[in-house]
DNA sequence: ATAATAGTGTCTCTCAGACAGTATGTG
DNA sequence: CACATACTGTCTGAGAGACACTATTAT
């Protein structure tokens, strides 16, 4: 295995080489050797969620290279030496899928670093979560031989009770599950749902986001009363949308970020 | 600087050395060289919160070594090569402060990796949050020359509007602030507050946790009604505590983890 | 008795859930 | 017209906030 080919000794337990306790800090830093520490790879992965045709979807890439060649995985890759974590996530997403997203639309999800989660070497990934209403089709490049959105029910996500046929590379099923749980929770107390729809949108569109992400039906009249009654959630545009029945008023996103009080998920 | 003393070249943009695209995965892994990637240090830091005498406190260590020698910092240190992130946090906490805590009492907070946040080298820290009712005094050892609990108002935490006199090493003020915000939010929808008090406890004790962490006064009678009415939050013991007035009933922690509905922080 | 803290009862207001009913489009 | 969807009005029950009142100890 790789650990045999490239020795990776455990370092001393504390940080006392190079006179870390005595002498000046400048001297200490001038002689500091980063290579005495274990070599741990740091990557950034992105869970990009969207709603398409009433289904919650996640953007995946088919791996062009070993390991897990040919399996579907989250877009992501190594963090550059002088690059911020958020920037790495944004860059890797763009490189592998062509999907451009503002760095501040990304929120950090969680880091995963269980030994053995990557067969190449000890690897820690900082995962990010993004929400979008992308309508563009992704374009695979780089380490990805293919890129597309998957409905969640196509995937094997045992933590969510979803048993689709597509298995995921590495521990990405766990990461996606955690991302979906985070998204479900955030709908309750933030205006996140509005990030999933194109402007302008109807209240039925917005309700569809909640129903897709939570996988339940909401009461239409109460949802309307709640959204309209929450200052800054949506703003009327004066436009109307053509539907099969009475035309619906169209809205744009408001300024509010948090919902007071929250829209709580119905309990069973 | 250290980057000059130890060259740390940017690796190729994609992972195609050693025939990552062709050949078998076993061949690829046998020849994989972890050292071709940027050397990024990975550490685990712990924000351990507790309530003492009605004050929210955090456990800090005084750094024995460079860099930031003599400044106060979060307990933490390098993750070992074959050690899980949670275990590293638990181990570093015990080594530097003598405070032993179950690994599953730790929850991951966030990772911080802005270039330059540590003067030694590019460093990513995975921070953890712990809540406890520790009464034992910490014992400094290892990289720490001192260890004690600080009331939050002793610290300089500009993100929280707290302007105490003790400045923190690295970006630890930001990490602590994020941890406190997380704790404040978790009191709303989990039974976390009960983790801060010794068993058995009175409802006044429990209310004191909320008031300390949120830094507000709660309405006593309504708090009582809410807690008693939430199945599984607390369980009666039948014991009573001596106070300056009528003796209070004593409770222990219940089985519930989440609060339905939440105890919302009063809005201003 | 008074002081002090624990605990109960109850009124009001807000709001979620439920559902009936009205409005406005299409075929 | 029927039909479909958008939207409004209103009843009800749960629960938060406020506050008065009772209970049990110490001194």
């Amino acid at each position: 295995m790789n650990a045999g080919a490239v020795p990776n000794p455990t370092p001393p337990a504390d940080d006392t080489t190079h006179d870390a306790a005595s002498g000046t800090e400048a001297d200490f830093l001038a002689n500091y050797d980063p290579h005495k520490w274990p070599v741990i790879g740091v990557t950034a992965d992105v869970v990009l969620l969207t709603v398409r045709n009433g289904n919650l979807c996640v953007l995946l890439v088919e791996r062009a290279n070993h390991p897990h060649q040919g399996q579907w995985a989250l877009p992501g890759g190594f963090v550059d030496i002088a690059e911020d974590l958020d920037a790495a996530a944004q860059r890797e997403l763009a490189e592998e899928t062509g999907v451009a997203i503002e760095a501040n639309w990304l929120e950090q999800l969680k880091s995963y670093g269980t030994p053995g989660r990557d067969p190449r070497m000890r690897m820690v990934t900082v995962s990010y979560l993004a929400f979008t209403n992308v309508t563009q089709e992704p374009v695979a490049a780089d380490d990805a031989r293919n890129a597309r959105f998957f409905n969640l029910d196509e995937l094997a996500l045992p933590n969510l009770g979803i048993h689709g046929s597509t298995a995921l590379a590495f521990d990405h099923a766990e990461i996606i599950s955690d991302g979906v749980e985070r998204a479900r929770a955030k709908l309750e107390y933030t205006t996140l749902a509005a990030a999933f729809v194109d402007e302008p949108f109807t209240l039925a569109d917005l309700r569809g986001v909640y129903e897709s992400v939570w996988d339940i039906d909401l009461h239409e009249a109460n949802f309307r009363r709640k959204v309209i009654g929450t200052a800054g959630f949506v703003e009327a545009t004066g436009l109307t949308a053509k539907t099969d029945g009475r035309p619906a008023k169209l809205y744009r996103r408001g300024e509010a970020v948090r919902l007071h009080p929250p829209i709580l998920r119905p309990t069973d």
Side-chain angles (χ1 to χ4, degrees), chain A:
Chain A
M1 292 301 292
N2 53 323
V6 181
N8 203 351
T10 297
D14 50 12
D15 189 358
T16 55
T17 50
H18 306 309
D19 274 337
S22 59
T24 69
E25 178 159 329
D27 280 347
F28 165 77
L29 291 175
N31 293 298
Y32 193 83
D33 176 13
H35 289 92
K36 69 179 177 176
W37 297 111
V39 174
I40 301 182
V42 178
T43 59
D45 291 322
V46 179
V47 181
L48 188 146
L49 299 177
T50 193
V51 174
R52 305 185 135 200
N53 305 318
N55 293 302
L56 183 58
C57 296
V58 61
L59 177 60
L60 298 179
V61 297
E62 188 182 3
R63 291 183 54 79
N65 298 319
H66 291 307
H68 295 300
Q69 191 177 55
Q71 275 197 280
W72 290 89
L74 293 171
F78 280 87
V79 175
D80 286 346
I81 190 67
E83 179 185 42
D84 212 341
L85 300 174
D86 309 36
Q90 184 183 23
R91 175 182 54 76
E92 288 285 352
L93 176 65
E95 284 179 4
E96 294 190 347
T97 72
V99 174
I101 198 169
E102 300 289 323
N104 55 358
W105 291 13
L106 288 166
E107 79 173 53
Q108 197 181 299
L109 175 58
K110 193 180 168 185
S111 294
Y112 300 81
T114 304
R117 62 175 290 280
D118 189 304
R120 287 169 289 189
M121 61 187 289
R122 178 67 192 278
M123 203 83 85
V124 171
T125 191
V126 183
S127 66
Y128 281 81
L129 191 53
F131 312 100
T132 177
N133 58 336
V134 281
T135 46
Q136 59 174 315
E137 281 304 313
V139 178
D142 228 61
D143 200 31
R145 73 158 63 133
N146 208 342
R148 74 171 178 91
F149 285 98
F150 281 76
N151 286 355
L152 284 193
D153 59 14
E154 299 179 76
L155 306 177
L157 301 171
N159 291 357
L160 298 179
I162 299 175
H163 303 286
S165 57
T166 301
L168 289 140
F170 307 109
D171 52 2
H172 289 189
E174 182 187 354
I175 301 176
I176 294 168
S177 300
D178 289 349
V180 170
E181 291 288 6
R182 171 83 66 90
R184 285 177 175 167
K186 290 204 77 167
L187 286 197
E188 291 192 313
Y189 56 93
T190 72
T191 58
L192 171 64
F196 282 105
V197 290
D198 279 314
E199 288 185 315
F201 52 85
T202 67
L203 293 185
D205 294 333
L206 191 63
R207 181 165 50 88
V209 171
Y210 277 89
E211 293 179 334
S212 301
V213 176
W214 285 350
D215 197 22
I216 55 168
D217 288 333
L218 288 180
H219 194 289
E220 192 269 338
N222 295 333
F223 179 81
R224 169 185 314 278
R225 179 158 40 84
K226 175 71 194 181
V227 171
I228 299 296
T230 301
F233 196 172
V234 298
E235 292 172 3
T237 63
L239 306 173
T240 54
K242 186 177 176 310
T243 70
D244 288 342
R246 170 176 169 176
K249 290 179 186 163
L250 286 164
Y251 298 84
R252 70 174 73 91
R253 302 177 195 110
E255 297 297 315
V257 173
R258 297 187 66 86
L259 296 178
H260 297 288
I263 301 180
L264 294 177
R265 254 180 295 187
T267 56
D268 31 43

